[in-house]
Amino acid sequence: MPSQLDALKSLSLVVADTGDLDAIKRYRPHDATTNPSLLLKAFDLPGYQALIDEELAALQAEFQDRQARVEHAVDRLAVAKGAEIARHIPGRISTEVAARLSFDEEASVRKAHELIALYDRRGVAKDRVLIKLASTWEGIRAAERLEREGIQCNLTLLFSEAQAQACFDAGVFLVSPFVGRVTDWYKKETGRDYAPEEDPGVRFVHGVCERAGRGGYDTVVMGASFRTVGQVLALAGCPRLTISPALLEELAAKEGEVARAVEIPAAGERPAPLTEPAFRWRHNQDAMANDKLAEGIRRFDEDQRTLEARLAERLD
């Protein structure tokens, strides 16, 4: 009998939510994703040290100014790690635009171009890369422009139907609605635990999949931020699922069939595209989405700053 991981792979495309190359080799995902938080977790892994030293040496040779070295260090490290990961997966590597640019459309577009250029220098074509942007109005507009240039995007930190609809309207390649962080908010508010079938995060992602299907949008929905195997299995059939190594290990260790839990409905009539005022109002009306988007941007930025500080120490 196949493992639950193998059974799940027959229903959803599995993406590794990690920068740990050993885990990627072990579980053979189709795609992988990185962000400053995942890079920070991988920072002390023994297999990571030579890559860090190599990139820092290159920065010291390229930039005379120490601050310039620090400013470029995270991007260079992310791309170096992403390029290494890309050699071990058949699909794409997602790479994050710094969270501090989440409300700056122009700066986000510039940063995306820089990341694509760095990948190109390493022989990784842009069709193997997804640029990750926060699902703010500005991030979505940046993604819309990049998509028109042939640079495909992964819109992350997605917590509201308004964010999802605006991403569909913009024609972005992929959206990552979060499961665990949505459920965390409701558990804190209500003091309840939730079975997978009534889990607020699971139900939210089900809704995003249904909205994508009913509108006939090409945007890929990828469930993200899982806390339990139960949440993962409750979204079997969602086009893509990005899963941490710990949960991949649980799924690989248990045999059993996995039932399809997500059915994509047939396309119907599309709603009118959201205007900026409508987007901001509808998102504002969702207290959970407001809280979690702001918190997520702050957390990613905190991890980016911590990573920059640790790289700066290594540059000294």
Side-chain angles (χ1 to χ4, degrees), residues 206-274:
H206 268 275
V208 174
C209 290
E210 289 172 6
R211 180 179 290 269
R214 285 197 306 271
Y217 299 104
D218 292 329
T219 299
V220 177
V221 178
M222 181 171 74
S225 173
F226 291 101
R227 300 289 185 258
T228 68
V229 164
Q231 289 177 329
V232 174
L233 297 179
L235 283 167
C238 179
R240 302 191 190 198
L241 301 171
T242 181
I243 306 170
S244 69
L247 296 183
L248 288 171
E249 183 175 357
E250 283 190 53
L251 288 162
K254 187 174 181 180
E255 293 184 347
E257 299 296 329
V258 173
R260 179 178 291 276
V262 176
E263 297 285 352
I264 307 298
E269 186 176 350
R270 289 187 179 183
L274 286 180

Side-chain angles (χ1 to χ4, degrees), residues 22 39 53 70 72-73 76 82 84 91 99 110-111 118 121 128 153 171 183 208 222 230 277-278 294:
D22 289 337
L39 290 173
D53 290 340
V70 173
H72 287 83
R76 292 284 285 269
E84 187 177 20
R110 286 196 300 272
K111 180 60 68 177
L118 287 172
R121 284 166 56 180
R128 297 288 314 282
C153 300
T183 304
V208 174
M222 181 171 74

Side-chain angles (χ1 to χ4, degrees), residues 14 37 51 69 74 81 121 124 128 137 140 179 185 210 212 233 242 260 276 292 301 303:
V14 170
S37 302
L51 185 67
R69 295 172 189 164
V74 173
K81 191 64 177 175
R121 284 166 56 180
V124 180
R128 297 288 314 282
W137 180 259
I140 296 168
V179 178
W185 190 90
E210 289 172 6
L233 297 179
T242 181
R260 179 178 291 276
E276 181 177 355
K292 299 311 287 186
D301 184 55
D303 286 342

Side-chain angles (χ1 to χ4, degrees), residues 50-62:
L51 185 67
I52 295 172
D53 290 340
E54 179 184 332
E55 287 309 303
L56 294 183
L59 282 167
Q60 288 177 316
E62 187 171 343

Side-chain angles (χ1 to χ4, degrees), residues 6 56 71-72 78 91 120 125 139 154 198-199 201 229 234 236 256 263 267 301:
D6 288 334
L56 294 183
E71 289 174 0
H72 287 83
D120 184 67
N154 171 355
E198 61 175 357
D199 185 293
V229 164
E263 297 285 352
D301 184 55

